[in-house]
Amino acid sequence: MKEVNKRSLILGSMAALGSEGLYGLSYIFTKQATNQASVLALLGWRFVIAFVVMSGLILAGFVHIDLRGKAVKPLLLVSLFNPVLYFVGETVGISHTTASESGVFLACIPVASLLASTLILHRRPSRQQVIGILMTLVGVIITVVAVGTQTSLSVVGYLSLLLAVGTYALYSVFVEKATDYTGIEITYLMLVAGVVVFSALAIGEAAGQGNIGTLLRLPVVNMKFLAAVLYQGIGSSVVALFLANFAISKIGVNQTSSFIGISTVVSIVAGMVILGEQFNGYQFLGATIIILGVYVANMTFDL
């Protein structure tokens, strides 16, 4: 298991919590934005804004990247797994399956990350890590199933969600292996890949529908869409992505993955407070198990 000192544990845990909190809130904005435009339009504008903001910070000297003498190939591999393949798998999967099915599939990401870390990085998780991550998985499944258990029986949807789970796990592993790069450098290359791929897909979709002008005007004429892509681009794609990469570099894949369920808890609370959604006893039980699972997975460091 990766040895982590007290400072790295605190910083990494805070980064993981912050990242998952931001991701949890992003579901609210995604839900509102996809009522206004297509998923590809949202993804395309999200990464355009993220790329512009990050590039601006670099040009202004607030953040620094230096890829001189460093091989870019490892970062291209990371970027291929996430955001490219992960978002393709997640987007197609969610669109072809029910909310409960996609939620259960995506809840398996911590387990897949643990397996990838064990097989590729040869880092055996502790018993407490395994128990904590499995508790988190159970908690997420209870929470998701509590809102409905419809099935789609979509082979395309299931395979796409499996792609999302597998590629996110591989992304986590290869981020931890990318020790020659800073979190900012990793994040920036991921944003470059996202803006290239998803802008092209969004433009292609709009061109096929004869709506390129509508796509380009969306953030100007639709304030809900603008708010969503600003949050997704800055909060989720810049800040949360950087925090996730930072957390992995400090506390490793296994420990960072144990926090993933927190985004589910945050999304439930945000949905209840902001959207007025109902919160039942099973969801409360699931959220409680998630929090306990995170605690169990992170309480056994030998400091």
Side-chain angles (χ1 to χ4, degrees):
M1 185 178 72
K2 182 177 181 177
E3 294 296 326
V4 181
N5 60 39
K6 187 174 183 178
R7 178 179 172 81
S8 293
L9 170 61
I10 293 172
L11 291 175
S13 297
M14 290 177 63
L17 278 171
S19 175
E20 294 307 320
L22 289 169
Y23 284 139
L25 287 174
S26 74
Y27 298 146
I28 301 297
F29 290 92
T30 299
K31 189 169 184 178
Q32 293 177 333
T34 50
N35 292 330
Q36 314 296 319
S38 72
V39 172
L40 285 179
L42 176 61
L43 286 173
W45 271 111
R46 166 183 179 165
F47 281 101
V48 165
I49 289 174
F51 174 74
V52 169
V53 169
M54 182 67 88
S55 297
L57 292 173
I58 292 170
L59 291 173
F62 290 108
V63 296
H64 178 70
I65 64 170
D66 184 6
L67 299 176
R68 290 175 297 182
K70 299 177 182 178
V72 180
K73 184 178 178 180
L75 291 191
L76 294 177
L77 195 59
V78 169
S79 301
L80 174 65
F81 291 135
N82 186 17
V84 177
L85 291 178
Y86 171 75
F87 274 107
V88 169
E90 182 190 61
T91 302
V92 175
I94 289 175
S95 67
H96 282 77
T97 60
T98 65
S100 57
E101 287 176 319
S102 59
V104 170
F105 269 92
L106 296 175
C108 296
I109 285 176
V111 177
S113 297
L114 185 148
L115 291 174
S117 176
T118 303
L119 296 174
I120 298 174
L121 299 178
H122 306 294
R123 290 188 179 136
R124 293 177 61 86
S126 68
R127 181 180 301 176
Q128 286 76 13
Q129 284 178 324
V130 174
I131 293 172
I133 287 175
L134 290 178
M135 286 177 65
T136 301
L137 171 64
V138 170
V140 173
I141 291 176
I142 289 174
T143 303
V144 170
V145 172
V147 298
T149 56
Q150 295 176 311
T151 58
S152 63
L153 300 179
S154 170
V155 175
V156 172
Y158 296 160
L159 290 177
S160 297
L161 289 171
L162 283 175
L163 173 67
V165 171
T167 52
Y168 192 96
L170 291 172
Y171 143 75
S172 301
V173 166
F174 282 96
V175 164
E176 187 169 347
K177 291 181 69 174
T179 54
D180 292 337
Y181 310 93
T182 66
I184 290 292
E185 289 167 349
I186 294 171
T187 302
Y188 188 64
L189 265 294
M190 292 174 71
L191 295 181
V192 170
V195 75
V196 169
V197 172
F198 293 112
S199 293
L201 290 175
I203 291 171
E205 177 188 55
Q209 299 171 349
N211 292 329
I212 290 184
T214 302
L215 173 67
L216 297 178
R217 291 191 301 269
L218 261 175
V220 178
V221 301
N222 192 317
M223 291 299 103
K224 286 187 177 181
F225 184 84
L226 176 62
V229 294
L230 284 174
Y231 182 88
Q232 294 277 21
I234 299 172
S236 295
S237 295
V238 175
V239 181
L241 196 56
F242 168 72
L243 289 175
N245 292 334
F246 180 82
I248 291 171
S249 71
K250 291 295 182 182
I251 59 177
V253 174
N254 295 344
Q255 221 63 30
T256 303
S257 296
S258 69
F259 286 89
I260 288 178
I262 294 297
S263 64
T264 301
V265 178
V266 172
S267 67
I268 290 172
V269 175
M272 180 178 61
V273 174
I274 299 174
L275 300 180
E277 295 179 346
Q278 295 298 313
F279 184 72
N280 61 44
Y282 288 108
Q283 288 174 304
F284 178 79
L285 173 63
T288 302
I289 294 174
I290 289 170
I291 294 170
L292 288 174
V294 171
Y295 173 75
V296 169
N298 289 275
M299 71 178 184
T300 57
F301 277 104
D302 183 16
L303 302 178

